[in-house]
Amino acid sequence: MLDKTTGALRLYKGIEIGPHVDFTTTAELNLGNKPEVIGFVDAENQQVHFRNVRVERSFFIFSMRFSYNRLLVLELLVSPAPIPITNDWQDWSFEAEMEHLDQCNAWLQEQVGNQREFDWGCIWSGYDSLGGYSSIKIKYY
C-alpha cells in the first residue's frame, strides 16, 4: 500500500496519495464518509479530510495539509473497524488509545519496516497527548 520508493500511498487501482498529487485533484476525490475540503486553489493553507476509507482489511482517516497545491503532510489513522466520528469523549480511554497506537505501529512496521527517513520525506507514528489520539504522519520534502 505504501510505496517506499516514491512515498505514494496506493488506495485503489489508479488512486494514490503522495508527493505527486495536488490539492485540486485530491479535493475532487470522494472517499469515505463526510469528505471535507478547506481552502481554495493556490492558497497557503489547504486541507482535505477523508474519513473511514476502507482499503483492503482496514479503515483509514486521511488528513492532508497542502500549501499552494503541494502536499506537505499526510496524517492517517488506521483501524480494523470503522472509526467513530463523534465529538463525544464518553467512549474514549487511554488504554483503548494505546491499543490504537499499537495498531498504527504495526501497520507502519508492515509497510516500511524500521526505516523512517526516505529521499521523499519521513514517517512517524505516535500518540498526541493534547489531541488524545494516535496517528501516523508522513512529511513530504
Side-chain angles (χ1 to χ4, degrees):
M1 186 170 166
L2 179 63
D3 187 328
K4 289 170 53 171
T5 306
T6 65
L9 193 63
R10 181 167 291 121
L11 306 182
Y12 310 107
K13 185 176 180 176
I15 298 179
E16 293 182 346
I17 298 172
H20 62 282
V21 301
D22 64 27
F23 172 74
T24 305
T25 304
T26 305
E28 292 173 355
L29 296 174
N30 189 16
L31 302 173
N33 301 342
K34 300 180 183 178
E36 182 180 12
V37 176
I38 301 168
F40 302 97
V41 175
D42 291 325
E44 184 176 358
N45 183 22
Q46 304 159 307
Q47 298 176 38
V48 178
H49 305 279
F50 298 121
R51 296 168 178 91
N52 283 317
V53 178
R54 185 169 190 161
V55 181
E56 298 170 356
R57 300 175 315 272
S58 299
F59 290 86
F60 293 85
I61 293 179
F62 299 109
S63 295
M64 292 155 277
R65 191 179 57 172
F66 295 80
S67 182
Y68 299 106
N69 298 323
R70 183 176 166 269
L71 181 60
L72 301 177
V73 177
L74 167 60
E75 181 174 30
L76 54 116
L77 286 73
V78 60
S79 174
I83 302 165
I85 301 169
T86 177
N87 293 329
D88 186 355
W89 285 83
Q90 286 183 332
D91 294 333
W92 185 90
S93 75
F94 183 77
E95 292 78 18
E97 198 51 49
M98 291 301 99
E99 287 179 24
H100 183 240
L101 177 59
D102 290 342
Q103 292 167 356
C104 288
N105 288 332
W107 184 88
L108 189 56
Q109 184 67 29
E110 178 183 315
Q111 296 298 312
V112 296
N114 292 325
Q115 188 175 358
R116 297 294 180 263
E117 293 282 336
F118 303 88
D119 290 339
W120 46 263
C122 61
I123 191 165
W124 170 89
S125 177
Y127 171 69
D128 179 342
S129 61
L130 293 176
Y133 69 98
S134 302
S135 68
I136 297 165
K137 289 187 182 178
I138 301 173
K139 180 179 178 183
Y140 294 105
Y141 301 140

